[in-house]
């Protein structure tokens, strides 16, 4: 007969402990009760769900398959109301009984709701569970006035999440400094400045005396008589361990369920793990020590009792993008024998405080620069004697060889606090599964898959241990602003940031560099459709002077000739300019245009004005040209009017910036005389239809374009071009050519999100393109007239031609 093991609580600690038990030889039949209806998920990541960085599915730790595959009975949405210790059964809220031989209480904590009058009104929420988060998401909307009571880790993360959803957020904290349990007053002041710079209002110190409103909350009243208008209130005022069931069962309970070093309660058959516990007077609010508890308990319950739980050193990290805060150990510098060493750089927003006691690390606060958090964690854990390092305690020496630095770290050291993954677990996984990438580390160990703060360390470990280490595709822009393109788009939109300077000031190192500044400038242009502060110094030199710099320092000038078509009058002007400015070379380009090479910088404005032609933008990351063939107007094979269609395509998209240079072509039949199939975007005329092809290349890379769609009319073809063009502008990384982009995203997905997207999505893409186009200017003539932007938003029906999408190019 197998023993019945019942676990009450399907949260992070309870299930992590079950995972450990499953690794041991055991004779248990396991049943887990959880009063939430969801499978086991990562509670830590709720902040990221609220902020829109993760979905509910992304944070699942163990899905239904896991319970099934391990023979675990999951009773979800079932609350255990009491325990009958004499009969050894747990009783649920409906009176059903489940017998146990061993019982683990993993009931976690609940949000503490202070006894404030009016706190039970509608739209007053807590932030503890996935249901809480989904309730907040359902209410959050742009412009909603939201108040968060509590300026600790949870309150700030809730505030930031709501603000990224467009709410106008105020954080209210009872103390005179934010995160006062983890930071001293100076660190709190730095944090406050950073939070305010994100656009979140902070009121300190304020004691909330009442929540007012008629049924629904209308606002908060403070003890000093002030009032704050609020349509949504989130209470993040701390947590309380869930001990009612244990107390009712007669177990020893203090602030939490009392446990010994083996996580045994006062009943030898009942164990407790997680935030519901109290161990040697300590309760818990962070997950790292709870994983350790799980390991110890798994041994104790399977009869080993080799390990003991020794408590935990508090270590906190804030998970708000761009706000780097780390605090560990004690922050109390008033204790006898405690020495305090500090560093402050207000310009960079960096503050460090290191507390030493008898030359050993006692506590640390890092604001704005948390690079060394693991060194400090290690010093705290090991009690390293820092006598010889006194001059470097604020800037710990870094080993140039990451392998050596990590070699000193014991295998039992936790690297990923969010998922309780230790150095030894990662090394074992690297060897067992032959892992060579960070993606592999995440898949096999979960390390670095939550808040991501340990990814640097995981990568170092991977480099040191895996002989065939492979760098994952670069996800962050550069070290000046360490965010991915996706995150930067969210930041710019969410924060309404409209200049490169602002973005770098709030999220970067203020200065920026040649790599990130043009990329940020492009992203802003694309997100705000040109309605933003253009910082010309953030552009490449070619864009600043609107011409292509040559190796002798002169410039080349390429006027626009739409579709490669010109007139005798234009040719005369080009000839006159070439004579007048002694242009050493006049050259016909591969793009069917005329290039005047060797022009001095000082002559550029005069040359542009005397040419009287728009810029061909042959120098920029933007629309270059549309190459056309003769087409049906003159060619005896032509079945479509490629020349006029090409001219129209160029007119629609010219003067717009793209992630990289963007070349197009239109040909009048599949003979393809203008090499359409190796262009970023092209139309290939067929008898009675057009093929729209994307992602071709004939430069350093050679790639035949993919078929996006086949359509019947020229209007449909042009609309398909608009859709792909705007989609590429919005989703490609800066400097990503369309051929890499199409391969990365996949043509099926691109089809689904452009030409076969729902009409509303298509309309939105086209409207954004129209907005950008309305503000786009010819670089050589500020007064140039843009085309009528409304042309973009007439959706063309395409259903009739979908069945042709498999047609192949000649
Ligand atoms: C938004 C948010 C952000 C956080 N960020 C971090 C962070 O960055 N770093 C960090 O270390 N920690 C963080 N935490 C804390 C971390 O999530 C907790 O320490 C951890 O979840 C505790 O695990 P637990 O299993 O003890 O409790 P829980 O995960 O709360 O699980 C307990 C479960 O038991 C259920 N339950 C309770 N009573 C019963 C009953 N009688 N019958 C059936 N089921 C019951 C509860 O509903 C719950 O589902 C965060 C918490 C939140 C809410
Ligand atoms: S592609 Fe066809 S239509 Fe165009 S020039 Fe060549 S043969 Fe003529």
């Amino acid at each position: 007969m197998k023993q019945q093991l019942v676990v009450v609580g399907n949260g992070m600690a309870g299930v992590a402990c079950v995972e450990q038990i499953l690794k041991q030889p055991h004779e248990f039949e396991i049943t887990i009760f959880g009063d939430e209806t969801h499978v086991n998920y990562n509670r830590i990541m709720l902040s990221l769900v609220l902020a829109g960085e993760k979905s509910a599915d992304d944070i699942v730790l163990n899905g239904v398959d896991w319970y099934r595959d391990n023979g675990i009975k999951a009773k979800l949405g079932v609350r255990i109301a009491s325990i009958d210790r004499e009969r050894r059964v747990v009783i649920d809220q409906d009176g059903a009984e489940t017998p146990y031989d061993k019982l683990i209480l993993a009931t976690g904590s609940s949000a503490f709701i202070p006894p404030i009058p009016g706190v039970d009104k509608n739209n007053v929420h807590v932030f503890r569970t996935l249901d809480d988060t989904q309730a907040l998401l359902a209410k959050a909307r742009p412009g909603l006035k939201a108040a968060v009571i509590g300026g600790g880790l949870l309150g700030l993360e809730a505030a930031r999440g709501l603000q990224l959803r467009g709410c106008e957020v105020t954080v209210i904290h009872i103390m005179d400094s934010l995160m006062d349990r983890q930071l001293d007053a100076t660190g709190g002041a730095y944090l406050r400045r950073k939070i305010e710079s994100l656009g979140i209002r902070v009121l300190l110190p304020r004691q909330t005396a009442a929540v007012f409103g008629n049924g629904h909350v209308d606002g908060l009243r403070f003890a000093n008589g002030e009032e704050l208008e609020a349509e949504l209130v989130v209470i993040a005022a701390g947590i309380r361990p869930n001990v009612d069931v244990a107390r009712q069962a007669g177990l020893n309970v203090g602030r939490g369920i009392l446990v010994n070093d083996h996580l045994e309660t006062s009943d030898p058959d009942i164990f407790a793990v997680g935030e519901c516990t109290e161990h040697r007077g300590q309760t818990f609010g962070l997950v790292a020590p709870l994983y350790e508890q799980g390991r110890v308990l798994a041994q104790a319950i399977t009869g080993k009792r080799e390990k003991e739980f020794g408590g935990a050193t508090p270590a906190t990290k804030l998970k708000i993008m761009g706000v780097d805060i780390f605090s560990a150990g004690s922050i109390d510098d008033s204790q006898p024998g405690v020495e305090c060493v500090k560093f402050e750089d207000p310009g960079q927003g960096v503050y460090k405080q290191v507390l030493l006691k008898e030359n050993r690390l006692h506590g640390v606060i890092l604001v704005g620069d948390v690079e060394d958090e693991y060194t400090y964690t290690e010093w705290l854990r090991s009690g390293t004697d820092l006598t010889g390092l006194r001059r470097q305690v604020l800037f710990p020496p870094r080993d140039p060889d990451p392998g050596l630095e990590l070699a000193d770290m014991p295998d039992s050291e936790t690297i990923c606090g969010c998922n309780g993954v230790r150095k030894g677990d990662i090394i074992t996984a690297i060897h067992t599964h032959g892992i060579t990438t960070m993606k592999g580390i995440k898949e096999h160990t979960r390390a670095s898959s939550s808040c991501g703060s340990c990814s640097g360390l995981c990568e170092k470990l991977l480099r040191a241990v895996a002989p065939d280490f492979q760098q994952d595709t670069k996800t962050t822009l550069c070290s000046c602003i360490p965010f991915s393109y996706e995150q930067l788009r969210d930041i710019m939109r969410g924060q309404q940031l409209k200049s490169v300077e602002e973005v770098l000031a709030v999220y970067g190192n203020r200065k920026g560099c040649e790599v990130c500044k043009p990329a940020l400038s492009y992203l802003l242009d694309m997100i705000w459709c040109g309605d933003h502060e253009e910082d010309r110094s953030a552009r490449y030199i070619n864009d600043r002077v609107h011409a292509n710099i040559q190796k002798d320092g002169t410039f080349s000038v390429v006027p626009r000739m739409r579709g490669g078509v010109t007139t005798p009058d234009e040719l005369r002007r080009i000839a006159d300019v070439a004579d007048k400015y002694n242009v050493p070379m006049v050259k016909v380009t591969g793009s069917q245009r005329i290039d005047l090479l060797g022009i001095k910088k000082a002559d550029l404005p005069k040359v542009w004005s005397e040419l009287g032609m728009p810029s061909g933008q042959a120098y920029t990351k933007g629309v270059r040209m549309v190459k056309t063939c003769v087409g049906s107007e003159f060619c005896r094979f032509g079945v479509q009017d490629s020349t006029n269609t090409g001219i129209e395509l160029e007119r629609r998209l010219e003067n717009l910036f793209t992630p990289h240079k963007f070349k197009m072509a239109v040909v009048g039949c599949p003979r393809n005389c203008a090499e359409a199939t190796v262009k970023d975007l092209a139309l290939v005329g067929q008898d009675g239809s057009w093929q729209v092809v994307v992602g071709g290349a004939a430069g350093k890379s050679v790639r035949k374009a993919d078929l996006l769609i086949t359509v019947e009319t020229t209007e449909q073809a042009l609309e398909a071009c608009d859709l792909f063009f705007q989609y590429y502008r919005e989703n490609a990384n800066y400097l990503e050519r369309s051929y890499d982009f199409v391969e990365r995203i996949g043509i099926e997905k691109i089809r689904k999100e452009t030409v076969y997207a729902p009409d509303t999505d298509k309309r939105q893409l086209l409207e954004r393109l129209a907005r950008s186009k309305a503000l786009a200017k010819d670089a050589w003539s500020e007064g140039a007239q843009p085309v009528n932007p409304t042309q973009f938003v007439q959706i063309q029906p395409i259903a009739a031609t979908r069945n042709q999408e498999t047609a192949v190019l000649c």
Side-chain angles (χ1 to χ4, degrees), residues 379-694:
W379 283 351
L380 265 178
R381 189 199 60 78
S382 60
T384 305
D385 184 348
L386 300 173
T387 312
L389 287 168
R390 286 293 297 242
R391 296 174 75 103
Q392 291 164 291
V393 285
L394 286 167
F395 297 94
R398 293 182 188 157
D399 201 312
D401 182 338
L404 293 180
E405 192 184 355
L406 284 160
D408 291 341
M409 191 185 269
D411 279 4
S412 58
E413 181 68 13
T414 298
I415 288 201
C416 173
C418 297
N419 293 295
V421 189
R422 296 169 305 175
K423 176 187 162 190
D425 303 330
I426 298 177
I427 293 177
T428 309
I430 292 172
H431 289 316
T432 315
H433 303 287
I435 296 172
T436 55
T437 62
M438 280 295 291
K439 194 162 166 266
I441 295 270
K442 286 181 195 173
E443 275 169 14
H444 290 284
T445 69
R446 288 199 198 129
S448 120
S449 63
S450 296
C451 78
S453 61
C454 64
S455 52
L457 203 66
C458 289
E459 190 177 314
K460 281 183 189 172
L461 196 54
L462 187 60
R463 276 176 193 278
V465 178
D468 304 322
F469 167 77
Q470 287 170 26
Q471 184 81 49
D472 285 343
T473 326
K474 190 174 161 204
T475 50
T476 58
L477 193 50
C478 79
S479 58
C480 302
I481 180 151
F483 296 103
S484 67
Y485 284 96
E486 210 44 60
Q487 291 169 323
L488 284 168
R489 288 187 191 104
D490 288 348
I491 286 172
M492 288 171 183
R493 279 197 198 100
Q495 298 307 301
Q496 302 278 309
L497 297 179
K498 292 200 169 182
S499 76
V500 172
E501 197 187 350
E502 262 183 313
V503 177
L504 282 168
V506 180
Y507 288 94
N509 66 355
R510 286 169 188 269
K511 296 193 294 287
C513 69
E514 283 302 300
V515 174
C516 61
K517 284 170 81 176
L520 293 173
S521 174
Y522 170 74
L523 285 178
L524 285 168
D525 179 71
M526 189 272 302
I527 286 168
W528 299 116
C529 303
D531 181 17
H532 69 291
E533 280 173 46
E534 157 86 273
D535 174 3
R536 291 183 59 83
S537 71
R539 295 244 174 219
Y540 291 123
I541 167 79
N542 285 355
D543 283 309
R544 300 208 291 266
V545 297
H546 305 307
N548 217 339
I549 192 161
Q550 304 297 306
K551 68 179 197 182
D552 62 355
T554 63
F555 289 84
S556 103
V557 166
V558 182
R560 187 169 293 286
M561 286 179 182
R562 296 187 184 105
V565 176
T566 183
T567 63
D569 186 40
E570 282 180 351
L571 290 173
R572 249 177 245 118
R573 272 182 273 147
I574 291 171
D576 288 345
V577 165
D579 275 345
K580 181 168 172 187
Y581 292 95
N582 296 321
V583 172
M585 182 184 279
V586 181
K587 188 165 188 330
V588 175
T589 70
S591 302
Q592 299 180 334
R593 306 197 284 190
I594 294 177
D595 192 352
L596 304 171
L597 289 139
I599 296 192
K600 295 186 200 75
K601 186 168 171 221
D603 290 337
L604 285 172
K606 287 178 277 174
V607 167
W608 299 334
S609 128
E610 287 170 38
L611 282 172
M613 294 168 75
S615 162
Q617 308 236 343
Y619 45 81
T620 194
K621 312 281 177 239
V623 168
R624 293 291 175 89
M625 83 307 167
V626 180
K627 188 169 179 175
T628 64
C629 74
V630 180
S632 59
E633 242 185 325
F634 289 97
C635 174
R636 63 203 167 95
F637 298 110
V639 288
Q640 291 286 0
D641 180 359
S642 49
T643 309
N644 285 308
T645 306
I647 291 173
E648 171 59 13
L649 180 61
E650 187 159 346
R651 209 171 61 80
R652 290 161 88 93
L653 303 182
E654 67 192 16
N655 300 327
L656 288 165
F657 291 111
T658 43
H660 209 305
K661 62 184 169 190
F662 197 81
K663 298 183 173 187
M664 296 175 279
V666 181
V667 288
C669 86
R671 285 179 178 75
N672 195 14
C673 294
E675 301 108 21
T677 49
V678 288
K679 294 288 183 280
D680 296 288
L681 171 63
L683 297 179
V684 181
Q686 310 280 321
D687 199 1
S689 66
W690 288 101
Q691 289 185 340
V692 184
V693 297
V694 298

Side-chain angles (χ1 to χ4, degrees), residues 256-326:
I257 304 168
L258 298 184
V259 288
N260 64 16
D261 293 351
H262 297 284
L263 285 305
E264 291 156 336
T265 66
S266 48
D267 179 329
D269 290 325
I270 302 183
F271 300 77
V273 66
E275 278 186 359
C276 61
T277 62
E278 179 178 334
H279 172 261
R280 296 192 207 160
Q282 188 181 20
T283 52
F284 305 87
L286 296 168
V287 84
L290 309 184
Y291 287 117
E292 187 52 24
Q293 284 190 343
R295 286 188 197 101
V296 174
L297 199 165
Q299 287 213 343
I301 208 166
T302 51
K304 287 217 188 71
R305 290 177 66 94
E306 281 164 14
K307 286 168 81 81
E308 290 187 349
F309 180 64
T313 308
T316 309
K317 186 148 185 179
L318 194 63
K319 302 189 293 302
I320 298 183
M321 262 196 291
V323 186
D324 291 323
I325 301 284
F326 175 74

